[in-house]
Amino acid sequence: MKAVVCERPFALDVRDRPLPERAPGEVLLRIRRIGLCGTDYHIFAGNQPFLSYPRVMGHELAGEVVEADMASGLVPGAVVTLNPYLPCGECIACRKDKPNCCTSIRVLGVHVDGGMCEYLAVPQAAVIPAGTLSLDQAAMVEFLSVGAHAVRRGETTAGDHALVVGAGPIGVAVALFAKAAGAGVTIADTSRQRLDYARDAIGIPDGVLVDDTIEATLAERTDGEFYDLVFDATGNARAMEKGFAFVAHGGSYVLVSVVKQDISFADPEFHKREMRLIGSRNATAEDFRTVIAAITRGDIPTDTIKTHAFPMAEAPSRFPELIADQGSVLKAIAIL
């Protein structure tokens, strides 16, 4: 079968690899769509903290069942999406029903080879029927679930004032589910192009351009009170540190991003505000179900979220183009 392999930073190639063999308890899938995300771009650029090379990327996946155990209920040809976070099932996090932060988690496309290939065998528990979703929509479930999980971690409720920093795919996902929870949502980014697209195509009308005056701008917009909830989806350590200043007294700061560097904050300000600092990692099956239901209801504008599509074999040439033109890229999908 064909697979796209990241041999080392900035080196992608299409390789021939053996077809996977399905073990009992696994499902053999024909991969049909691969969504590309910041993690993949970071892997390509050598900035992903949990990875060794070479690696087959791809964790935002849609496929069709080829073969499964009889008792699984999965029939050949069924469209499915994947929960790419493979837990051990035994550690303290798993025992607390938090498999998304398992101490020994293996993430497809990060810790183990992922789905940027023609066929993939995965544990049955990772396979989630997509119902009436299209292949493109099924490939978007994972990243939208990361946003839904962050909103749930922040205990977002109606009437909250939420600031989402970062108008890329994860930021947009957070904004959509915070809005669905009844929060008033403001999205901030350094790219006017991204903010305009979030407003015109996604339905997030309140956007703020990040510049040297951002703290003063947000203070003026909120009468100096700032935001009940701040979500960071930038993947930028400096932005993550800056975001502490945007949290209201008694508010919460949800870090959806992950970076290699240490980040720091002013302890007096943190305590003065009695701020909650919350990590949000990955997503759970509950979040996947939430997203599938929302897409099925027509609540998520998947047609405008997908901005680019191309055959998987073109990935080596397309990756540098996509990174160079991030302002116009919301969600790119590779097609098989």
Side-chain angles (χ1 to χ4, degrees), residues 139-226:
M140 298 184 208
V141 171
E142 188 278 337
F143 90 86
L144 290 165
S145 297
V146 172
H149 184 73
V151 169
R152 186 158 63 91
R153 287 282 290 152
E155 299 178 3
T156 311
T157 59
D160 283 336
H161 296 286
L163 173 69
V164 180
V165 187
I170 299 300
V172 164
V174 171
L176 285 169
F177 283 96
K179 183 180 175 183
V185 177
T186 298
I187 194 163
D189 200 277
T190 57
S191 169
R192 171 56 64 188
Q193 186 177 11
R194 278 189 161 183
L195 292 174
D196 289 347
Y197 197 82
R199 179 193 64 213
D200 299 336
I202 307 300
I204 309 297
D206 191 19
V208 178
L209 188 67
V210 175
D211 57 20
D212 292 340
T213 66
I214 183 63
E215 187 170 351
T217 299
L218 296 179
E220 182 179 357
R221 289 167 62 96
T222 60
D223 294 326
E225 293 187 336
F226 292 101

Side-chain angles (χ1 to χ4, degrees), residues 42 232-242 257-259 261 263:
H42 289 315
D232 178 86
T234 64
N236 180 284
R238 186 165 177 263
M240 293 164 76
E241 292 176 341
K242 188 71 172 175
S257 297
V258 59
V259 293
Q261 306 99 307
I263 63 170

Side-chain angles (χ1 to χ4, degrees), residues 8-55:
R8 59 188 181 280
F10 302 105
L12 281 182
D13 203 1
V14 179
R15 301 286 191 188
D16 286 314
R17 286 201 163 187
L19 283 168
E21 295 185 6
R22 185 185 76 87
E26 290 186 335
V27 181
L28 179 63
L29 301 173
R30 179 190 174 197
I31 301 300
R32 298 293 307 279
R33 299 288 190 277
I34 308 123
L36 306 183
C37 82
T39 296
D40 300 314
Y41 300 136
H42 289 315
I43 291 170
F44 177 75
N47 297 322
Q48 221 292 333
F50 303 122
L51 179 127
S52 59
Y53 298 90
R55 181 62 68 227

